[in-house]
Amino acid sequence: MSERSPFNKIISVNLIVLLAYAIAIKLFATLSGGGEEQMTYVILIGLASGAHVLLDLLVALILALAGKRDASLGFLASAPLVLLIGAGVCFGGAAVDLSGVRSR
């Protein structure tokens, strides 16, 4: 039996987690009310994405020290992907209006 690399699975799980908390934060920002829901969303998703990237790098370091090279590379590769996609989600999600009322 050949042992499969966890590389693709780790990246997929990281991107699914990013999608899940982006949706949750958008709903939270919309339901919290106030006139600054876009700014609330941008700040919260920026902080969450930054924490996600730091966690990915920390897990990659721990796995590298433990000798699990493939898993470490999976987390190391997903860190810049989460940072890049998280930045797009951050500003793109702020443009989505779920409340139906846009005040300028």
Side-chain angles (χ1 to χ4, degrees):
M1 261 194 229
S2 65
E3 194 171 315
R4 296 185 64 194
S5 173
F7 192 80
N8 290 336
K9 186 176 181 180
I10 291 171
I11 292 176
S12 299
V13 167
N14 272 290
L15 294 178
I16 289 169
V17 168
L18 173 66
L19 176 67
Y21 69 71
I23 292 170
I25 290 173
K26 183 63 179 178
L27 290 174
F28 171 76
T30 301
L31 296 175
S32 67
E36 296 296 324
E37 77 178 51
Q38 289 85 12
M39 188 55 70
T40 302
Y41 176 76
V42 168
I43 291 171
L44 290 178
I45 199 73
L47 289 172
S49 295
H52 191 156
V53 168
L54 289 176
L55 183 65
D56 278 345
L57 292 174
L58 182 66
V59 170
L61 178 66
I62 291 170
L63 289 173
L65 292 174
K68 298 183 179 184
R69 184 176 182 270
D70 289 341
S72 174
L73 289 175
F75 280 102
L76 193 61
S78 60
L81 280 175
V82 167
L83 189 62
L84 181 66
I85 295 170
V89 167
C90 182
F91 295 111
V96 175
D97 185 22
L98 296 179
S99 66
V101 178
R102 178 69 74 152
S103 62
R104 292 192 186 255

